[in-house]
Amino acid sequence: MLGRLILLLLQIVVAWFLAPIIAGYVPVAGVFGLFVFAIICAIIVFLVGVLGAQVLRDVGQPGSATLTWCLILAVVAAAIATWGPSLVPQIPWSRVPDHALVIAGAILGYLVKK
C-alpha cells in the first residue's frame, strides 16, 4: 500500500514538472496543444509506473491496457478542459488548471483496475 502511494506521488511530481518541458519541444498550434500534452502526460505516467514497479515493492507491473486507459482518460480530460466551458458555462472552469486536469486524467487511467 505504501509503495503504491509513493508511486502515485512520484507520478504526479514527474508529470507536473517534466511534461511541460517535453511539450515545449513539440510545435502544435491552437487547441490541439492540450491534446498533445495529454498524450505526453499519459506516456510519462506509464513510464514512471513501469520504472516504479521495478524499484518499489508490492507494486505490480503495468500492462498495455494500463497505457491505453492512461491515454483515453488523459485525452477525455483534455477534451473536457477544451470544450467544457462552452458547453456548461455555469461551472467555474478557471479554478482548476487545464494541465492539472489532464494529469489527473492520466493518473486515474493508470489506477483503473484490469
Side-chain angles (χ1 to χ4, degrees):
M1 184 70 174
L2 182 62
R4 290 184 184 182
L5 180 64
I6 291 171
L7 180 64
L8 175 71
L9 294 175
L10 187 65
Q11 286 173 326
I12 292 170
V13 168
V14 170
W16 184 264
F17 289 110
L18 191 62
I21 295 170
I22 294 174
Y25 290 110
V26 180
V28 177
V31 297
F32 296 111
L34 191 60
F35 291 99
V36 171
F37 183 80
I39 293 170
I40 291 170
C41 280
I43 292 171
I44 288 173
V45 165
F46 178 75
L47 289 178
V48 170
V50 168
L51 293 174
Q54 299 292 324
V55 175
L56 297 171
R57 279 189 178 188
D58 299 330
V59 177
Q61 188 74 22
S64 61
T66 306
L67 177 61
T68 304
W69 277 107
C70 283
L71 286 169
I72 289 171
L73 290 183
V75 170
V76 166
I80 289 172
T82 302
W83 294 300
S86 63
L87 295 175
V88 186
Q90 294 84 8
I91 298 175
W93 294 98
S94 62
R95 292 191 182 200
V96 177
D98 294 342
H99 291 179
L101 187 63
V102 169
I103 292 172
I107 295 290
L108 286 175
Y110 185 84
L111 295 176
V112 169
K113 296 291 180 188
K114 297 173 189 133

